[in-house]
Amino acid sequence: MSTLRVSGLHKQFISAAELLTVLDGIDLEMSAGEDLAIVGPSGSGKSTLLHILGTLDSPTSGTVEVAGVNPFELSPIKLAAFRNRTIGFIFQDHHLMPQLTVAENVLLPAIAQGRPSEKVRQRAQQLIQEVGLAQRELHLPSQLSGGERQRVAIARALLNHPKLVLADEPTGNLDATNTQSVARMLFDLPKREQAMLILVTHSDWLAEQAQRCVRIENRHLVVIR
Amino acid sequence: MGSPGIFTLVLRSLSYFRLMHAALAGGIAAATAVIVGALVVGDSVRGSLRALVIERLGNIECAMFARNFFNEDLVLAVNQAAQSSHARATPIIMLPSVSVERSDGENFVRAGQVQAFGVKDDFWMYSTGEEITRLFTKLDIDQIVLNQALANDLGVKIGDEVTLRLPTVAAVPADSPLGRRDESSIGLPRQKVVAILPDAGLGGLSVRVGQSLPRNVFLPIAALQDSLNAKQKANGALVFTENGNRPSGKASAADLCDRLNREFQPELTDYGVQLKRHRRVFPEADIGEKKLPSLEPSEVVFDYYQFSSDQLVLDDGTVNALMGALGHSGMRTMTYLANFISVVGEVKASLEVPYSIVVGVPEETALPLASFTTERPAEIRRRVCWVNSWLAERLKIIPGTMLRVHYFHPETVDGREVETSVELYVLGIVPIVEPVTKYDGDRPAVFEVRPTVFNDPHLTPQVPGVTDQDSINDWDLPFDLKDEKITKDDDLYWENHRLTPKLFLPLSTAESLFGSRFGTTTAIRVNADETTDESELVRTATAAMLTAKPGFGMQFQPIRQQQIMAASGTTPFDGLFLSLSFFVIVSAILLVTLLFRLGIEQRAAQWGVLLAQGFTHGQIRRLLLCEALPICLSGAALGVVVGIGYAKLMILGLETWWLGAITVPFLRFSFTPTSLCVGAAIGALTSLLAIYWSLRRLSQKQALLLLRGKWDTDMLTKREIGKLAMSTCGICVLAALGLIFLGSGQSGMVRAGSFFGSGMLLLISSLVLLREWFAFPRIGANVHQAVGGLRQVAWLAICRNPLRSMLSVGLLAVASFLISSMSVFQITASPKGYGGFDLIGEMSLPIFVNIGSGEVRAEALGEREGALKKATIVALRSRPGDDASCNNLFKPEQPTVLGIPPAFERQQASMPQSQAFQWAGRVPGDSLPWKHLAVIAPGTFEAPIPVVIDQNTAMWSLKQGGSIGAISKFEFDNRTLHFKTVGLLAGSILQGKLMIGEQNFHTAFPNLNGYRYYLINTFGENRQEIVKTLETGWSDQGLDIVSSQEVLSRLLAVQNTYISAFQSLGALGLLLGTFGLAIVQLRSVLERRRELALMRAVGFSGRQISKLLLLETTLLLSGGMLVGIVAAMIAVVPYVLETGPQMSVAQPIGMLAIVFVIGTLAGLVAIRSALKQNVLAGLRTE
């Protein structure tokens, strides 16, 4: 069973000769198929926590375990492989490769492991269909709307059956209509994969769609729901 | 759906970012173009030199230039052997240096150092060029052909008449007392010019290598044979081959020469060796009219064969060859003329005997001296002799008498005979018999009593003008006879005995007294009973002389292959232009790095996404390198094309504004595929390495930072400079100071190099400090210290990307440093290089008196000598050869050698040090290296000849490395001579020559007589008058005088031209740097578009934005140039203080100013781009 265990997580930054504590003793546990929204004021450390959970940043102290593995004990190469297989990212700015087609963007995580197999390609095709872009497979990101690009990002994040999907302000740049459609995909698809979903959002509405909600206040995690 | 992989990613990126990649390829093309261009320049120079050789030699494959004349029919025999190799041989008379003059009414127009070729008709037939056969096929006597260069010098056209001045060919060396010194030239007047050959082709034929145009005259060999009294003789031969039958390569050319050498079989007379049999029997069988009754059968008094020389003395090579073949049967003798013989202590003139022959013979000899020896010579610790009975009676000599023999030193000194004397102890008296009938013309004297073996006039070689005279008073000698000393008795002796020796010495004594560089043997005797017959003796001797043949220059050499080898040159122009273009290459590579970094920075978010998706840093690096590889290859390919254009531009430069580097325009563009491939490979590889280096920090980049589109961290607010930076600065500054200190005590290139190195270290430390300053700028901690003004905003903008700013500034600083400091290496012709001599004279034909002597000048010039009263002239021996200065691009095989007399060393020692020749290298503590030239050395490896060379010659032409004690070796006249450097001159007029002591010169080149090179000090007075007097006085010998300033300027032009080229190319590199700066600024504007839009939105005017951006550009541009210029000034100040301001500032200032203007204009492009942006569009997030 996939789980997420965070215990005593601290994160400090050094800035202008002073120490800035952003997260101070964060504890968190999640199980497979759960979704969690993290809310809080700007600069509270929401994205920092997300980035640590996604191994894009490292904690000053404390432990993180994803599916029983502490990724920060892995070598850089094994960490990359771990990230590739275990974690899916959805960024506010989608970060699609402008030179690749929709299909190629979705297959990007598989390219990291070599040429995608037939099975992986079928998986990608299925995901593209599920996000409603089957007719746009060969289009470049410049030919898509903002919402469509975010849907491609969702499909990319799910390609390798990640155990943990992290979304950082996934609807931050979208209008209301696109927000709803993207939000629907965001919650439905990971749940279907039994993946854990953690999203950071300023949107109360989006936060309410999640099963659980926590807030970061004064560097600590406060459970709302 | 396809199956994309890494290569899909690469291909997509190449296509999508093609503009960015095109710019990168452009940078790579620039770097490759410079490398390819430099290599192609090297190809062109080598190709042009080779083409020059092939063009000038035409079909000539082999050549022989002998020391003396030989029978021209010998070449016919060779021709038969040559024909089997599809070659043709023809005899020539070649005079390497003659003078040609044309009358211009009252004046004469002269040209010296002209090569004269006396040729047969078949020379023209075998030569290449239809033009020649169209002009003529046969030259008549009094007809000549000139080449265009000579015609231009003389101002002659076809149909004009000129006079040739040829060197006299004397049998007896002019530097010996019996040699002729009064006439050194023979005139060949009224020679009609029937054709003028173009300089390209046979008109440029030269036996010496060099790109300078020779001056040539061609005339019928018969004309020279008549003038030089060398009927049916030649002193050289040329062998022609044709296209298609030419020997391929060095080995087969050498084979051809070997075959020809085997066929070339000179006879004894061709070496100047005579063989005669001398036999005297008593009584004489036939004495002409008078026949004495014979009471007894004839008995042999003496019967021997004798080898002797036309030159009076047999050279060592001939002696060694003959004695080697003859073994014990050969007996050497040394015969000499004593001016007079007197008894020691006796002052009466009546007891002197003038003009007597003295001969040295070996102790075990056919002359039974031992029989007349009263004491054992070993017991007498003096030099001993025997006298004949006539002399004994004349001077009242008995055994034990001490005699004084007065004679001329066997070599003249400064062209004058020097009398000396020796005391000899008389060991015994040998008998001679008086004849009853004296000599009468060719009829020998007649004896009634059996003559003794000592009655032998044949011990003395035949001397034309002497042995054929009836009276001593009629002797024709180069010195005046003191007639008052000749008594009737002396005349009677002459009439009865001719040159029968009066005094006999041990051979070793004679060698030590009368031996010279010309030899120590006048004859070799072989008793008749020790040989079968004359023909056998001739065969043996002729075969033996084959070993001496090379010493006479009678050796065919593969001249074509030799000159082609020399065309490989002494200066590798590809390496030179790579060095000169070094900064352009560095600039281009830095530009490549800059462009690449800009590209990957622009795509930073993509790399963050890839990392987030599980790509490793290594995978991303490989991805980027895979993208870079085709860009590098295509950039390199483009660079090859551009490089060819760059090479053509460089060649145009060398033929025009940089002509000083090659002296004469002769270059033709050519290239080899190898150079193109190597250049492309180096360009691609260097660029790839630069790109790889840019990626080396990729693994340190955090995914988060990259996702935010940042490549480098935000500027930190740390206020302290890093310890590593401080240490680096400290080390660099200390090392710079150390170099300045070390360099101050040195001279020449070492000093310049140390100052240059110190400047570079100061530059590096400045750039390190600047890097720290960029990386850690001051940021206001509170409102009161906050940003004040556009200047600080501009500064902070520059510091946003420290490495990018550093690359720009560093490029500008290094270029500015090089352009500013290189001027210090430019040298103007300074009197320090003259050695105190403001004029240099060179003669086409040598003279055998020393015009350094006022007496000699007075004798030659009469009243005109008054103009020279205050001048100092030093006459030097000279062996003309290849110019080994920087002016000659060919590899010198036989450099010009000068023989330095002791007077020169005295003159230099007496001068103030500031005026004498300056030294770039000498043994520490040695004040006057010239004195080392007096050390006698034979030139073997174990005992090399001490030599003084100019440092530039040692380093660049001879590739010695310019160190004291370095050994060089050269082949002169088929002998290898070794030289050891004992002093290096600094920037002197003697560049390109080897200076050895006069004594060693005589030993190394015994057959070179007279003087032809002169150093003149006018002391600044009547210079024009002095030049005119000297040139007029020795016009027949083609004396040409030039100013030392002119010579030195010409020599220094090469170095100064290279420096100028380096500066020009440095400016090109600087231009590339400003181009990079413009790109950086444009990129900066693009990155800050939101920020600039915000500034516009809050009220900054367009003018203020312009001012801000211009400030940024100007700060980078001026900062970079200032750092470079200041470092350069610090580096050169000690040098300037020591040597005085010699540098030219106009050119570097001009270059820097132009580049500053262009850089500022480039910055304006960025301003224009910023002002064009719509404020609202810039504020939008997407």
Side-chain angles (χ1 to χ4, degrees), chain B residues 876-898:
Chain B
L876 307 179
R877 311 280 182 167
S878 167
R879 187 198 184 278
D882 300 331
D883 179 7
S885 74
C886 298
N887 284 331
N888 186 8
L889 297 178
F890 283 82
K891 195 172 153 198
E893 299 291 327
Q894 296 185 356
T896 298
V897 184
L898 297 180

Side-chain angles (χ1 to χ4, degrees), chain B residues 561-810:
Chain B
Q561 288 301 325
Q562 284 173 344
Q563 290 200 5
I564 286 173
M565 290 267 304
S568 64
T570 178
T571 307
F573 263 73
D574 36 19
L576 181 67
F577 265 79
L578 272 175
S579 309
L580 292 176
S581 306
F582 146 79
F583 190 69
V584 188
I585 297 169
V586 167
S587 300
I589 295 296
L590 285 176
L591 188 63
V592 164
T593 310
L594 193 66
L595 288 168
F596 183 75
R597 275 189 65 91
L598 286 175
I600 58 173
E601 282 176 18
Q602 195 177 332
R603 295 160 64 185
Q606 290 188 21
W607 317 131
V609 167
L610 291 177
L611 286 171
Q613 299 305 318
F615 281 76
T616 61
H617 285 98
Q619 279 179 307
I620 297 174
R621 221 177 358 248
R622 281 192 290 278
L623 185 71
L624 284 167
L625 286 173
C626 284
E627 260 187 56
L629 184 61
I631 301 168
C632 287
L633 292 175
S634 53
L638 177 64
V640 167
V641 175
V642 176
I644 289 175
Y646 177 76
K648 286 190 174 179
L649 189 64
M650 293 298 105
I651 288 169
L652 176 67
L654 284 169
E655 294 266 289
T656 53
W657 55 85
W658 294 330
L659 186 60
I662 61 171
T663 313
V664 293
F666 72 98
L667 290 179
R668 291 171 223 183
F669 174 79
S670 67
F671 64 88
T672 59
T674 309
S675 291
L676 299 185
C677 291
V678 167
I682 294 173
L685 196 61
T686 318
S687 302
L688 204 58
L689 282 171
I691 288 166
Y692 181 80
W693 179 83
S694 304
L695 292 174
R696 78 198 188 294
R697 284 198 171 178
L698 181 65
S699 51
Q700 296 173 14
K701 304 297 176 190
Q702 293 178 355
L704 259 184
L705 206 66
L706 294 170
L707 280 165
R708 288 179 196 146
K710 295 186 180 186
W711 186 258
D712 285 316
T713 55
D714 285 339
M715 55 190 179
L716 301 178
T717 55
K718 213 167 106 169
R719 297 181 193 208
E720 293 170 3
I721 295 177
K723 283 181 185 168
L724 180 62
M726 283 295 284
S727 310
T728 308
C729 278
I731 292 169
C732 285
V733 168
L734 283 173
L737 290 171
L739 274 178
I740 290 175
F741 175 72
L742 285 170
S744 301
Q746 301 297 322
S747 59
M749 299 297 285
V750 174
R751 180 180 56 194
S754 66
F755 290 137
F756 189 79
S758 66
M760 281 299 290
L761 286 168
L762 289 172
L763 184 67
I764 290 167
S765 66
S766 304
L767 291 175
V768 167
L769 271 177
L770 209 56
R771 165 74 173 88
E772 288 300 298
W773 204 12
F774 281 153
F776 303 107
R778 267 182 81 83
I779 291 184
N782 55 40
V783 167
H784 299 293
Q785 288 175 342
V787 167
L790 276 179
R791 250 191 324 229
Q792 195 154 1
V793 175
W795 171 249
L796 290 173
I798 290 169
C799 298
R800 282 165 71 113
N801 199 319
L803 192 56
R804 195 192 297 176
S805 298
M806 263 309 300
L807 279 175
S808 308
V809 167

Side-chain angles (χ1 to χ4, degrees), chain A residues 16 51 56-57 80 83-84 89 91 95 97-100 103-104 107-109 111-112 115-116 121 125 128 137 156, chain B residues 1-5 8-9 12-13 16-17 603 605-606 609-616 619 703-704 707 717:
Chain A
H51 293 151
L56 295 179
D57 200 351
R83 199 185 295 138
N84 181 260
F89 283 97
F91 302 99
H95 284 311
M97 306 283 271
Q99 66 270 38
L100 300 179
E104 286 160 354
L107 281 167
L108 197 61
I111 295 173
R115 195 171 280 278
R121 280 186 274 126
Q125 219 161 19
I128 291 169
E137 239 183 57
R156 180 180 68 190
Chain B
M1 178 185 285
S3 176
T8 308
L9 213 52
R12 291 266 189 262
S13 301
Y16 191 83
F17 299 106
R603 295 160 64 185
Q606 290 188 21
V609 167
L610 291 177
L611 286 171
Q613 299 305 318
F615 281 76
T616 61
Q619 279 179 307
L704 259 184
L707 280 165
T717 55

